Amino acid sequence: MTRFVLTSESVSEGHPDKVADYISDSVLDACLSQDPTSKVALETLVKEDLVVLAGEITTGATGLDFEATARQAIREIGYDWPGEVFNADGVTVLQKVTAQSKEINASVVDKSRAEEQGAGDQGLMFGYASDESPELMPLPVLLAHRLTRGLAEDRKKGGAYRWIRPDSKSQVSVLYEHGAPVRIERVVVSTQHVAQARQDEVKAYVIEELAPRVLGDWSPAADLFLVNPSGSFAHGGPSADAGVTGRKIIVDSYGGAARHGGGAFSGKDPSKVDRSAAYFGRYVAREVVKAGLAKRCEVQFSYAIGVAEPTSLLVDTYGTGDNQAAEDFVRQTFDMRPAGIIRTLDLLRPIYRQTTNYGHFGRPGLPWEA
């Protein structure tokens, strides 16, 4: 297509699903901070005054208090006022956590052949990069994240922004012509607020303050915005809706501009290729674009549980480069076995809480973006 509109969305750290993701990643980091070989697969559910932690954890870490970790994560997000049904001190935390399956552990870990560490599960993962932005990310999701992150930053400043509450969503539609982004066609922003906030004030803030600051030259005309289109948004977060780990996988990756393998990221240690190979795919795709082999690149890996070598590799440059040359570059340059991925990106560290919100890709400070 020479002319099309691509839409992507983002959700803030106060969105119920992201609350669940952040709790899961906080527990993961707590384990890794003591034992880098911890095996963690934790799902979180949040609803009203209830938090449920369920999954499998095998770790040599001692003295861990998962309930306290969950409460602290909720407090950091901003759900810390007693009048809210969902608040850090008032929730009930239920735990159903067992050890990792011995059969899975035996198939994945063999210290006699460390480089042949098997994949933690079967699955397929995608990585993507495009030269349409300095971050090598699709522009729609990049701009959508800027809006929700900007809302969170203003909320935490307090002062004139005390009316902002943690739950918010954004949606950005970008017109492309001949493969390049041209302009924004529509912006949707829904932000939670205190009950006393007037909707005309909310709208003026988003259009006149927030968007020009975070979108810069991409900020469109005022009539292209929809702000809190449903009207009042005072009741939000887990007090209003249930949240579950792993439900925002398109928000977490490329906003629909590229494919997603289906496996969520949060709450999983790097032996789970759902997470680590998706990160590596992004790293590899970026290197293909940076090397000048393509303007756009998508990489797919697939794995079998307990097997180190990927079962397949696909490199697609969308006609912007030589697919075979790019694939040869990938095969000759990168160790795609789980142990090689973990070593290359130095993944046995408590770095995962910082990945949870505003996209796992396209942000500085993450090893796969280096």
Side-chain angles (χ1 to χ4, degrees), residues 41-74:
L42 185 70
E43 310 289 339
T44 301
L45 179 146
V46 293
K47 173 61 178 173
E48 293 185 333
D49 60 349
L50 179 65
V51 175
V52 179
L53 308 179
E56 300 78 48
I57 297 178
T58 297
T59 180
T62 59
L64 297 180
D65 186 337
F66 296 153
E67 178 176 334
T69 299
R71 292 187 190 278
Q72 179 58 27
I74 295 167

Side-chain angles (χ1 to χ4, degrees), residues 46-51 85-87 91-92 235 237-242:
V46 293
K47 173 61 178 173
E48 293 185 333
D49 60 349
L50 179 65
V51 175
V85 175
F86 182 82
N87 72 83
V91 295
T92 297
H235 187 45
S239 295
D241 298 308

Side-chain angles (χ1 to χ4, degrees), residues 94-335:
L94 301 182
Q95 302 183 51
K96 189 65 174 180
V97 179
T98 61
Q100 183 187 54
S101 162
K102 292 182 179 179
E103 293 173 319
I104 293 176
N105 185 264
S107 70
V108 171
V109 179
D110 184 345
K111 293 182 179 179
S112 68
R113 51 185 183 93
E115 289 302 306
E116 293 302 316
Q117 171 183 328
D121 200 351
Q122 72 172 46
L124 52 128
M125 304 84 206
F126 291 93
Y128 179 79
S130 169
D131 70 353
E132 68 188 68
S133 69
E135 296 86 352
L136 302 185
M137 283 288 289
L139 189 64
V141 73
L142 195 69
L143 298 181
H145 287 318
R146 289 180 186 174
L147 288 163
T148 50
R149 186 169 58 241
L151 281 164
E153 291 170 350
D154 285 349
R155 170 174 59 85
K156 293 171 183 178
K157 291 176 184 176
Y161 305 112
R162 291 184 183 277
W163 59 268
I164 304 174
R165 287 295 186 242
D167 191 1
S168 66
K169 302 177 75 171
S170 69
Q171 186 172 283
V172 177
S173 302
V174 174
L175 173 67
Y176 284 74
E177 293 182 350
H178 305 289
V182 175
R183 64 175 180 270
I184 290 178
E185 293 281 278
R186 179 70 80 176
V187 174
V188 182
V189 174
S190 295
T191 179
Q192 187 186 10
H193 53 77
V194 299
Q196 297 80 11
R198 298 202 330 261
Q199 291 306 307
D200 59 336
E201 293 176 330
V202 175
K203 184 175 181 179
Y205 156 74
V206 170
I207 296 174
E208 299 171 14
E209 294 185 47
L210 176 67
R213 186 179 77 246
V214 302
L215 300 182
D217 293 340
W218 288 103
S219 188
D223 62 349
L224 295 179
F225 284 84
L226 291 171
V227 179
N228 281 12
S230 66
S232 179
F233 184 11
H235 187 45
S239 295
D241 298 308
V244 181
T245 301
R247 288 206 297 196
K248 287 294 176 283
I249 57 176
I250 301 303
V251 169
D252 287 344
S253 54
Y254 306 103
R259 289 175 287 186
H260 192 291
F265 303 150
S266 290
K268 298 176 181 177
D269 74 86
S271 73
K272 281 73 172 175
V273 284
D274 276 342
R275 185 169 211 164
S276 56
Y279 290 169
F280 199 63
R282 164 65 176 168
Y283 176 70
V284 169
R286 287 183 79 251
E287 293 301 308
V288 169
V289 173
K290 287 166 59 181
L293 295 171
K295 293 181 176 295
R296 295 173 62 200
C297 179
E298 183 183 77
V299 178
Q300 184 201 54
F301 307 124
S302 66
Y303 291 87
I305 187 170
V307 179
E309 293 288 346
T311 55
S312 69
L313 168 67
L314 173 66
V315 180
D316 187 357
T317 62
Y318 298 92
T320 68
D322 185 324
N323 283 355
Q324 189 59 56
E327 182 176 322
D328 291 344
F329 169 76
V330 172
R331 290 187 182 278
Q332 295 165 12
T333 307
F334 303 102
D335 185 350

